[in-house]
Every structure is written in structure tokens, then in C-alpha cells.
Amino acid sequence: MTMASPSPHAPTSNSLPRIVVASLIGTTIEWYDFFLYGSAAALVFNKLFFPDSDPLVGTLLSFLTYAVGFAARPVGALVFGHYGDRLGRKRLLVVSLLLMGSATCAIGVLPTHATVGSLAPVLLTVLRLVQGFALGGEWGGAVLLVSEHGDARRRGFWAAWPQTGAPAGQLLATGVLSALTALLSDEAFLSWGWRVPFLLSGLLVMVGLWIRLSVDESPVFKAALARAEANERRGEVTERMPLVAVMRDQWRDVLIAMGARMAENISYYVITAFILVYATEQTQLSKQSALNAVLIGSAVHFVVIPAWGALSDRIGRRPVYLLGAAGVGAWAFPFFALVDRGSFPWLIVAVTVGLVFHGAMYAPQAAFFSEMFATRVRYSGASIGAQFSSVAAGAPAPLIATALLADHDSATPIALYVMGAALLTLVAVACARETRNRDLADGADGADGYGQPKGDGRSSAAATTERR
């Protein structure tokens, strides 16, 4: 007598927390590496790699190498998305973690302009490209691994935890830099202290790999892969490339995801990266004060993200996301007004409130984007939508903000820039369908795994919405 096996997408009671921890630690390490570069670009890279430039021009050049990492993220999204939809989420997450850690450790031993001249910024740019490529594949796989293990009822809450890897990484990167600037003199920090946080990445990567290798592949993906292979054996379906399938069948969802990311991405890098320049240059606050304000804001950010994710399980992804976009837009002018006071407590308030509103967009994003796409194109669709927008949003945000400040010597155009991004996100999310409670197992709603329900030409998301 044979016993019925449990549903392939119903995790055991202790498997989901383990998956969440593995995804969270991995994303924390990757974001630590990525944000560490952004903080160093604002504080020391202008002096170490572009010493012959005017201070503000040197900052612009260091932010330009920072932006290069964003340019590589869409390439990473395409490559990791393709193989993640073909081979599985877990394998590609291990590769992304190794790539990111190796590049970050290499930055820690990189010779500066004083040693090798113009070769130094070239090598820095190459390593930044590797970082961006790795991060382009990390986000999609991490949030999908959690989303596809959990059920629809609490998916927003559980999928929000990998999102806390961003503030956790920011917290870790800023905390290490803050501690070093407090303990070391400016000369010692500029000479060798800045290298320590980059070299620490090697230890963090070993911990992340140990945990990440211990988890199972997504059961939803394994079930979809088995169906696709069975269909191919019967000659019913010929598998299409995930990129081709998602751009042909779900291009509208890709565009919505890109629009949804604009305010989220731009506001975050203005609040956490550009503010290190603005607060020190315009209000004469110390580097330590600016770093500590971001540190405190990131701690609050970490706490509120799961709460916003849980709220999206109750009232829907769209209402929470719209609230965050509207809040970020409305906070743009008060944000700079508070920073301009030149007071550390008001700087903390400005950064913290901005990050709370940002969390209302960032928290439901993982479940929202996962639920938009069918299983066999989900890694590609979610990654392309998220990472292609970063080229137009997060990459140039510190550059644009710094250039606007240099041209106008005022925060007004920067606030208008953030408000414009918020308006674009409000329109994109308003055009999206509500995805809460969608079953991610395509076989459960009659789809073939590519967003095409059997028997008609509509997307699985559209079919699911219509049935409701």
C-alpha cells in the first residue's frame, strides 16, 4: 500500500523559516558588499582614486564608478534569470554570492591612484561591474526561493524578510565604517582603514555559503520543471527560452515592475548615499553624524519592512505600495528642510521617516513581483523588471542629485526629482492588478508554466484575476 505524498509546494513546519534565514543572510551579505562601495564612494574614493579633481568633481567621478555597478545589473538579471528558470533558484544563488564576495575582497586589496596611477580607477570599475552583475541575479532568486516555499496567506510577510537584507546590509556596512571612522584618525582611515570592511566580506561569504547550501530547491519550481519535461517527452510542448516567453506573454507586467521600482530605487539612494555628501558639504555636519543617522534609520527600516509585508497580506500589495510611493513624494521637501537645520536629531528624523515610507514600497515588492509571473519565467520576469529599472533609477540618482546640487546650490530641484519619480510609480502601480492570494503553482490554475493557460491566450495572472 502506498501513502500519498504531501503537496510539493506545502513546506514542513520548520522548512520555511530555514529558507527565510538562508535567503536573508545571503541578501544581507550581497547588499553589505554593494552598499559598502556606495558609502566608500561618498567618503574616500574621490581622494584615493581621483585625487587630481576638484572635491565635488571627484565625488561625481567616484559616484560614476558606483553607477557602473547598476549598468551590469540588467545583464546579471538576464543571465541569472535564464539559468535560474532552467536549472533552479538555489544553484544560481550560490554563484551570485561567490561572485559578489570575490569582487568585494579584491577591492579591499586594490592599489590606489598613488600606486598605479590611472589603472586604479579602471580596476575599481571592473570590480564594480562584477558586483553589479552578481547583484542582478541575487535579488530575484532570493525572493523567489521564499515566495515559492510559502503559501499565499502569509507570503507578503515571509517574502519581505529577504528584503530586510538591504537595510541589514546597509546597517552592517555603515556600522563598520562608522566604527572605523570613530576609532581611527582621518589619515589612518584614508591610508588603510577603509580596506578592512571590504576584506571582512570574505568571512561573511563563507558563512552565507554554508547556510545557503543547506536548503532545498523551490518545490514550486521542481513541480513546474517536472511538468515541462513530461510535456516535452509527450511532444505536447516545446520549451521556449524564458526571456522570449516573458517578453512575449507578460511584457506588460515587466513594464509595471520597472515603473514600480522608480520611486523606490531613487528615493533610497538619495536618502542613504547622496545624503552623506549633502549633509557634510551643505550643512557642515561630520561624516560620523551622517553615517550614524543612516545607521539609525536603517535599523528602523529593518524593523518596519516585515510589518509592511504583513499588512500587504491583509489589505493587498497595491494599497501598501501606493501608500509608500505617495509618502516618499510628500516627504521630499520636508526631508531636505530638516537636513538643512544642521542638527543631528533632525537628520535622524529626516532619514528615518523617509526609510519608513520607502519600506512600504520595498516590503510588498518581493511577493508582488513574484506573483506577477508564471513559474518557468518567474526568475527572468521578476529580475528583468527589477534590475532594468535600476539603470534609470538607482544608478544615476546620486549622480543626478550631486549635479543638481552643484548647478543650483539648492535642494529644491532634488526634491522635485524625487517627487517626479514618486508620480511615475503611482501611475505604474495603479495600472497593476492586485496579486494577493495568487497560487504560484501554475498547475493549480491550469497554466502551462509560461503564463499561458491551456486553451486560451491570456496570461495566468489575467486568468487568475478574472476568476476572482
Side-chain angles (χ1 to χ4, degrees):
M1 187 170 96
T2 59
M3 296 181 65
S5 61
S7 166
H9 47 275
T12 61
S13 60
N14 64 348
S15 65
L16 185 54
R18 187 170 65 247
I19 295 294
V20 169
V21 169
S23 293
L24 171 58
I25 289 180
T27 53
T28 298
I29 293 167
E30 298 239 13
W31 282 114
Y32 166 81
D33 291 351
F34 203 75
F35 288 144
L36 181 61
Y37 189 104
S39 297
L43 297 173
V44 296
F45 281 176
N46 57 337
K47 302 178 184 71
L48 295 171
F49 294 93
F50 307 99
D52 299 328
S53 303
D54 171 85
L56 197 56
V57 174
T59 301
L60 277 169
L61 290 172
S62 64
F63 272 144
L64 186 59
T65 64
Y66 173 72
V68 163
F70 287 85
R73 282 164 67 170
V75 181
L78 291 172
V79 174
F80 280 84
H82 173 82
Y83 288 104
D85 283 327
R86 286 293 180 91
L87 303 177
R89 302 8 177 162
K90 175 182 170 178
R91 295 182 190 179
L92 274 297
L93 285 174
V94 170
V95 174
S96 71
L97 190 60
L98 282 172
L99 279 175
M100 178 66 88
S102 300
T104 305
C105 285
I107 292 174
V109 297
L110 198 64
T112 64
H113 188 279
T115 305
V116 295
S118 58
L119 180 61
V122 172
L123 294 173
L124 183 68
T125 302
V126 170
L127 292 173
R128 182 60 174 172
L129 283 168
V130 176
Q131 279 192 324
F133 178 79
L135 191 62
E138 163 69 23
W139 181 84
V143 299
L144 293 189
L145 200 62
V146 175
S147 295
E148 292 179 344
H149 271 85
D151 58 63
R153 188 174 60 88
R154 301 195 68 198
R155 184 180 298 130
F157 171 74
W158 288 114
W161 279 102
Q163 299 292 76
T164 64
Q170 180 77 69
L171 194 65
L172 192 57
T174 307
V176 172
L177 283 172
S178 181
L180 287 169
T181 55
L183 294 171
L184 302 176
S185 66
D186 287 346
E187 294 75 18
F189 182 75
L190 200 62
S191 174
W192 59 269
W194 69 272
R195 297 182 183 275
V196 174
F198 289 92
L199 295 174
L200 281 175
S201 179
L203 179 62
L204 295 174
V205 166
M206 287 191 288
V207 174
L209 280 175
W210 175 69
I211 294 174
R212 209 161 248 194
L213 288 168
S214 69
V215 301
D216 295 327
E217 180 56 82
S218 155
V220 171
F221 171 80
K222 289 193 289 188
L225 179 62
R227 286 196 303 273
E229 291 174 345
N231 288 338
E232 274 204 278
R233 284 194 298 271
R234 292 194 298 267
E236 292 180 6
V237 177
T238 301
E239 241 190 27
R240 301 193 298 269
M241 285 183 61
L243 174 62
V244 173
V246 77
M247 296 308 294
R248 190 183 80 171
D249 299 330
Q250 295 192 260
W251 58 269
R252 178 181 178 275
D253 294 316
V254 171
L255 292 178
I256 287 173
M258 290 174 66
R261 284 271 285 171
M262 296 303 289
E264 179 266 304
N265 229 217
I266 288 171
S267 65
Y268 189 78
Y269 291 105
V270 168
I271 293 169
T272 61
F274 171 71
I275 197 62
L276 298 178
V277 176
Y278 186 85
T280 54
E281 297 291 333
Q282 292 297 111
T283 69
Q284 305 308 311
L285 284 164
S286 66
K287 286 186 295 186
Q288 189 71 37
S289 295
L291 284 167
N292 286 342
V294 174
L295 194 69
I296 293 167
S298 296
V300 175
H301 197 210
F302 181 91
V303 173
V304 300
I305 284 176
W308 284 124
L311 184 61
S312 78
D313 286 326
R314 286 181 166 272
I315 67 174
R317 318 298 183 213
R318 291 171 71 247
V320 176
Y321 212 117
L322 290 168
L323 174 64
V328 159
W331 188 245
F333 276 101
F335 173 81
F336 285 105
L338 292 176
V339 177
D340 285 339
R341 288 173 175 258
S343 164
F344 178 60
W346 284 119
L347 179 61
I348 293 173
V349 172
V351 171
T352 302
V353 173
L355 288 177
V356 168
F357 281 127
H358 174 270
M361 293 183 285
Y362 199 56
Q365 190 179 96
F368 192 29
F369 289 8
S370 298
E371 291 160 348
M372 284 183 183
F373 300 98
T375 302
R376 293 291 281 154
V377 298
R378 188 168 291 136
Y379 204 141
S380 296
S383 296
I384 291 169
Q387 303 305 335
F388 271 70
S389 61
S390 67
V391 176
L399 279 170
I400 291 173
T402 305
L404 289 172
L405 180 63
D407 288 345
H408 300 278
D409 195 29
S410 168
T412 297
I414 306 170
L416 292 172
Y417 169 51
V418 174
M419 290 179 70
L423 181 61
L424 182 56
T425 291
L426 286 169
V427 172
V429 177
C431 293
R433 307 179 186 96
E434 178 55 63
T435 61
R436 181 171 60 109
N437 296 325
R438 183 189 168 196
D439 189 346
L440 293 187
D442 298 292
D445 60 15
D448 65 1
Y450 291 90
Q452 289 293 100
K454 299 169 185 176
D456 64 25
R458 301 164 299 162
S459 73
S460 60
T464 304
T465 302
E466 182 176 303
R467 281 197 303 278
R468 290 189 191 136

